[in-house]
Amino acid sequence: MVTIYERKLHERQLGLSRRELLKRGGAGALLIISGTAIISPEHAWGLETSALKPETMATLIQVARDIYPHDQVPDKYYAIAVKGHDETAAKDPAHKELIEKGVADLDKKAGKGGYRALGWEEQRVALLKEVEKTPFFQAVRGGLVVSLYNQKEVWPIFGYEGESFSKGGYIARGFDDIEWL
């Protein structure tokens, strides 16, 4: 039996407090894969796939979160951002093969349980750095730049109020309101 003292000593040796462990463990939400759908019961959203395997889409959601990590952005918006790959794969067999093989390669490199089973963000990011020059990674990263940040529902999370032209422009609407400086 391990005493509390021994456990705390072990955590200190790892450089990880209990609070930090709980904080890191809570970052990834539970996703349920059922048939052709991915469901998040915790946050009440779902995503149906038509061309890509649901497991592939679930991995893409995690990859998207690891490429552009924003703790305050729910997985739902990452799912919407990668949904375009499923839609493109339905029309383009080459894109489907690129994404499916890219995810399979990540899972193989990750070992038992695959990419999503890696518990630490640092481990997943290390794998992504290994494949960052591949067409798979470039396709996913390139698509995310637009598909994640062009969602109007995400803008308030980042403090972006949207375009300003129709409201008189930025100069008339707080151009010099820089609270963080």
Side-chain angles (χ1 to χ4, degrees), residues 66-181:
D66 291 336
I67 292 175
Y68 293 108
H70 299 290
D71 292 338
Q72 70 276 27
V73 176
D75 281 344
K76 170 177 134 176
Y77 299 111
Y78 287 99
I80 292 168
V82 297
K83 178 68 174 157
H85 289 292
D86 183 54
E87 293 164 355
T88 303
K91 300 173 194 164
D92 182 5
H95 188 74
K96 179 178 180 176
E97 183 179 355
L98 173 75
I99 299 298
E100 292 285 0
K101 280 188 174 183
V103 167
D105 183 46
L106 274 180
D107 286 340
K108 184 178 175 184
K109 288 177 187 280
K112 185 177 179 182
Y115 183 83
R116 287 183 292 130
L118 292 176
W120 301 102
E121 182 179 358
E122 292 84 11
Q123 293 172 310
R124 294 189 306 268
V125 169
L127 278 179
L128 291 176
K129 285 184 180 186
E130 286 181 31
V131 299
E132 70 183 337
K133 303 271 190 240
T134 65
F136 161 73
F137 181 87
Q138 294 301 317
V140 173
R141 185 197 55 80
L144 281 171
V145 171
V146 174
S147 60
L148 179 61
Y149 298 113
N150 267 1
Q151 296 179 54
K152 289 184 180 182
E153 296 84 8
V154 175
W155 294 351
I157 296 171
F158 297 117
Y160 178 60
E161 298 175 6
E163 63 85 24
S164 188
F165 178 77
S166 65
K167 299 167 188 142
Y170 287 109
I171 292 179
R173 293 187 58 243
F175 173 74
D176 57 353
D177 291 350
I178 302 177
E179 296 172 6
W180 52 269
L181 193 60

